[in-house]
Amino acid sequence: MITIPPRYNPKQSEEKWYQFWEENNFFHAEVDSKRKPYCIVIPPPNITGILHMGHALNNTVQDILIRFRRMQGYATLWMPGTDHAGIATQNVVEKEIAHEGLRRQDLGREKFLERTWLWKEKYGSTIITQLKKLGCSCDWQRTRFTMDEQYSLAVTEVFIRLAERGLIYKANYIINWCPRCQTALSDEESAHKEVKGNLYYIKYPLKDSGMDYIVVATTRPETMLGDTAVAVNPKDKRYKKLIGKTVILPLVEEEIPIIGDSGVDPKFGTGIVKVTPAHDPNDFEIARRHSLYAKIVMNPNATMNQNVPLDYQRMDRFEAREAILEDLEERGLLEKIVPHEHSVGHCYRCHTMVEPYFSEQWFVDMPKLAEAAEDIVKKGKLKFHPPRWKKVYLNWMKGLHGWCISRQIWWGHRIPAWYCPDCKRAYDAAHKGKALLTERIDLLEASILVSLENPKFCPRCGRTDLKQDEDVLDTWFSSWLWPFAIFGWPTLDKKQSEELKYFYPTQVLVTAQEIIFFWVARMIMAGMHFMKEAPFSDVYIHGTVRDITGTKMSKSLGNIIDPLEIVKQYGCDALRFSIISLVATGQDVNLAQNKFEGGRNFANKIWNAARFILTNLDKEKAKADLCLSAKDITELKERWILSRFYQTLDNVTKSLDNFRFNDAAKSCYEFFWHEFCDWYIELAKKTISSKQTQLVLYKVLEKTLRMLHPFMPFITEEVWQSLPHEGKSIMISPWPHVEKQFIDEKIDAQMQRIISSIVAIRNIRSVWQIETNKNIQAEISVASQALEKLFSSCASYIKDSARIESLKVGRNLKRPKGAAVAVLTDVEIFIPLEGIINVEKEARRLTQKRYDLEKLLEITDKKLKNKEFISKAPKEIVEREKEKKEKLKDSIKKLKDNLKGFHLK
């Protein structure tokens, strides 16, 4: 007999076993030529990050895969690390020093970076500590940071190599600009939101035509001060005659041309649009086609600059909008204002409305890098799960343009480019005035030197005090190198070279849909370009974690569920099993706190079942030879549970191989709770002392624990350590093999007949309200000799489980008078009711209940046929009604079956 505490203590178990695993170095991986590698690189969380449910889902999936493959014998490496998160971290530190009455400019670049490093050392590992609370089995000895010295060298090396090949360039271009963070943003960092605004109809006077004017519609009147043309569609018959004429730009009183461009939508507004190349991406493209110039009218903080009339200078852009509208109205140039909803970019960090802004930035030539990354997916060498993301990925690759990689902040990898002050001054003077729409800047002509170290002198003029570019690289520019830079690329020593060769390419990337373009696509490009191989063979895209109403979780909405609080309340295994059980492949997850009760209850079920088995386990019998063959097992219940276990194991293994995590979890749950506990353990109580039952109880429990370990690592380790076992830990014990000799569908069918009969008798007891402590008689009529033999040999199962005092089994038995009946395939079960209950009274009650349920079914069915209800009600409410309908139908059928043969007076 082995004793364990009556209740499972998650907190105690989690602390004890995680420390045990770390102390024994079980998470660490080394190159092993005798084993296949299996490597996952963690999507590096930001150092500003705090664990949320998205992290919990993402890392649970990764840990399941890693623990599963580790048990299968692979040399598994789960590579951890954190991202420096340029804008986010700088914002945090700026807020911190603001409490001291300081701005970063007051400290200066070097002092501010010192403060940021101090913040990183103090708080940057918080997320790592929290990931450990989830049971993550990362190789923490290898933890990397995207601004480590060696990693930073990789970032610089990539920049230089791409620049030397013309794949990184500097250009005057329209980019997304955050006035709050005062930095450029990529398209992916500028999420568009629908905004309720207005469409302003403004009169532009025609030159030399007296009172004539044209009407232009715009959503942003403050940018009209930067107009350099007005455009119409040349196919628009209304305005074709206007092309080539000139208008006077209101308030500025400058002459600008009317041009024809096919990019103009005749249906938008009046069909005449203003062209503001420095502040609108579409206008920028029009200007390039027509060799227009760009006039910047805003400062980096979105106040109006010196290029606008004096009255508007230094005004905030929205303040200027109101002033401009007032002046236009005063001059009779504002025709009307119409409400208009449109999509506007917002900064992904501070949510400020983004300003399209013409500026000089660094770019990566993405279209030239895309071909190889596109082909590898088209050829099926890199697969997306679920497959629908392949199409999304390929569509995105078709529309690529330059990736803006320069950021006007201080925290990050500083761009390795230097300028000669004299030559730069000369270059600026030569290009002084209105900004020309030149796409690329000639680095040589502009005396811009790209180098690993500070160049000693300017090759053009010989000056020695060169200045480094002030900008830093986009955070994603470092993280797109993650799968190979983490191994020390490009400056590899012998060990690093062996590790890179062994672990790269990695096997799978687990990530959220939001960063397919931010990160996944770019990693594939970088891997194909620098390593000549894709960084992984499979990409598993999981859904978004939402609240129970389907709303995305956010602090502002107050619908956050803190995973650490769930761990504290229910235990880590409960969180992991609950969340993975709810995740259909690639679908979003709707969560409420009570959803975690299922995982907690399952953990308790495992503990209670294990405690019963351990309490009754004879160590000597359990140590007996377990190399059993199917013919060694004679009892139906033992043969059945072994067959069902190995079928479940096969399903779980295949599901994990195919990233069907919820299917795997469901299979584990259904087998352990409803087959092993509800049926086998209950039936085994009568034969608990037999060697056969002892062996099977032990064998199935021990192997089930191993099967469950990737999902629920702590409780499985706790119980496994209490069982007789080989090896130091369940996490390094082998994954069970499917022993096909034990799988027998005929045995499954036979046992299912017995189970169905027991359930049918229990249903009769329930429906007719026969007290559970009353022993009853039963007769089972079967259609064949084989069935008679089966039911006779298993009579004890039925009698014990259904509380049957006497059981008669025979072929073609007649139904006794006043007996309840249950009809199964080729089997009828009769339960005589006379003398046990008041049959007349109960039959009337059941008849009334049937009528009541039929009325409820009618109401429910009517509701589900109501198109308005189906279209307007929340999805979960509709599903609940559908489930209710099916339950009602089932209940009514059972009542009808039970009432057959009863004729009420």
Side-chain angles (χ1 to χ4, degrees), residues 41-150:
V41 294
I42 199 170
N46 293 346
I47 55 170
T48 56
I50 299 295
L51 196 74
H52 55 64
M53 273 299 170
H55 290 128
L57 170 59
N58 180 270
N59 288 282
T60 295
V61 169
Q62 292 177 83
D63 198 44
I64 287 170
L65 288 171
I66 283 291
R67 288 180 183 271
F68 171 55
R69 298 303 183 190
R70 186 184 286 123
M71 294 176 80
Q72 286 188 318
Y74 289 85
T76 52
L77 170 59
W78 186 7
M79 192 73 176
T82 51
D83 193 289
H84 66 278
I87 296 173
T89 305
Q90 178 156 314
N91 281 347
V92 168
V93 178
E94 283 192 80
K95 286 176 183 176
E96 184 176 82
I97 64 172
H99 293 306
E100 302 166 30
L102 296 170
R103 300 176 306 134
R104 64 183 167 106
Q105 290 82 358
D106 299 325
L107 291 177
R109 187 174 196 131
E110 295 308 313
K111 291 288 183 185
F112 178 79
L113 290 177
E114 284 177 18
R115 285 290 295 265
T116 310
W117 276 106
L118 284 172
W119 185 93
K120 184 263 175 188
E121 293 306 314
K122 188 174 181 181
Y123 301 108
S125 61
T126 299
I127 189 75
I128 296 294
T129 304
Q130 293 173 335
L131 286 172
K132 291 182 179 183
K133 295 286 185 185
L134 278 181
C136 295
S137 57
C138 297
D139 189 346
W140 300 114
Q141 297 173 36
R142 295 176 178 270
T143 303
R144 300 301 303 270
F145 176 50
T146 52
M147 282 179 65
D148 285 345
E149 186 177 347
Q150 192 171 35

Side-chain angles (χ1 to χ4, degrees), residues 513-528:
Q513 61 195 52
E514 295 88 23
I515 55 173
I516 292 176
F517 312 129
F518 276 117
W519 192 46
V520 180
R522 291 169 181 167
M523 276 195 292
I524 297 170
M525 289 183 204
M528 294 303 296

Side-chain angles (χ1 to χ4, degrees), residues 65-350:
L65 288 171
I66 283 291
R67 288 180 183 271
F68 171 55
R69 298 303 183 190
R70 186 184 286 123
M71 294 176 80
Q72 286 188 318
Y74 289 85
T76 52
L77 170 59
W78 186 7
M79 192 73 176
T82 51
D83 193 289
H84 66 278
I87 296 173
T89 305
Q90 178 156 314
N91 281 347
V92 168
V93 178
E94 283 192 80
K95 286 176 183 176
E96 184 176 82
I97 64 172
H99 293 306
E100 302 166 30
L102 296 170
R103 300 176 306 134
R104 64 183 167 106
Q105 290 82 358
D106 299 325
L107 291 177
R109 187 174 196 131
E110 295 308 313
K111 291 288 183 185
F112 178 79
L113 290 177
E114 284 177 18
R115 285 290 295 265
T116 310
W117 276 106
L118 284 172
W119 185 93
K120 184 263 175 188
E121 293 306 314
K122 188 174 181 181
Y123 301 108
S125 61
T126 299
I127 189 75
I128 296 294
T129 304
Q130 293 173 335
L131 286 172
K132 291 182 179 183
K133 295 286 185 185
L134 278 181
C136 295
S137 57
C138 297
D139 189 346
W140 300 114
Q141 297 173 36
R142 295 176 178 270
T143 303
R144 300 301 303 270
F145 176 50
T146 52
M147 282 179 65
D148 285 345
E149 186 177 347
Q150 192 171 35
Y151 198 101
S152 296
L153 183 63
V155 174
T156 304
E157 179 71 21
V158 163
F159 185 95
I160 292 167
R161 287 191 192 185
L162 292 177
E164 286 173 348
R165 295 172 194 173
L167 295 172
I168 279 183
Y169 58 92
K170 200 166 197 194
N172 290 307
Y173 210 86
I174 192 90
I175 49 93
N176 303 296
W177 182 265
C178 175
R180 155 63 183 81
C181 300
Q182 291 204 26
T183 184
L185 301 171
S186 67
D187 288 345
E188 293 77 24
E189 293 168 324
S190 313
H192 277 69
K193 299 176 187 176
E194 290 298 315
V195 172
K196 290 181 179 178
N198 294 308
L199 202 52
Y200 304 93
Y201 289 75
I202 302 168
K203 298 174 183 178
Y204 281 48
L206 285 160
K207 183 186 176 186
D208 301 328
S209 59
M211 295 296 292
D212 286 345
Y213 57 83
I214 59 173
V215 178
V216 172
T218 179
T219 57
R220 305 182 66 222
E222 66 275 14
T223 63
M224 67 177 289
L225 306 178
D227 289 359
T228 56
V230 167
V232 298
N233 193 305
K235 292 181 180 179
D236 191 337
K237 294 177 182 178
R238 296 173 297 170
Y239 306 125
K240 196 169 185 179
K241 62 183 179 181
L242 291 174
I243 297 172
K245 293 186 180 295
T246 301
V247 294
I248 307 300
L249 181 60
L251 308 180
V252 179
E253 304 304 323
E254 282 186 1
E255 295 180 7
I256 56 174
I258 300 174
I259 59 173
D261 191 275
S262 58
V264 177
D265 180 3
K267 295 178 182 177
F268 178 78
T270 61
I272 306 175
V273 298
K274 62 192 216 47
V275 181
T276 319
H279 296 280
D280 185 279
N282 294 323
D283 294 358
F284 176 80
E285 294 302 328
I286 291 173
R288 285 176 62 194
R289 290 194 287 268
H290 295 270
S291 300
L292 300 173
Y293 64 90
K295 181 181 177 184
I296 301 169
V297 296
M298 290 185 201
N299 295 308
N301 64 354
T303 59
M304 308 308 287
N305 67 14
Q306 73 281 0
N307 292 330
V308 304
L310 189 61
D311 288 349
Y312 311 117
Q313 289 179 20
R314 297 186 182 180
M315 280 186 181
D316 173 77
R317 54 183 166 165
F318 300 119
E319 182 188 355
R321 176 184 295 181
E322 296 307 315
I324 287 166
L325 290 171
E326 280 183 27
D327 290 346
L328 288 170
E329 192 164 23
E330 190 178 289
R331 290 167 170 76
L333 297 175
L334 183 61
E335 185 175 86
K336 62 179 177 179
I337 301 172
V338 177
H340 178 72
E341 192 170 295
H342 58 129
S343 185
V344 181
H346 288 73
C347 175
Y348 78 119
R349 280 297 170 194
C350 69

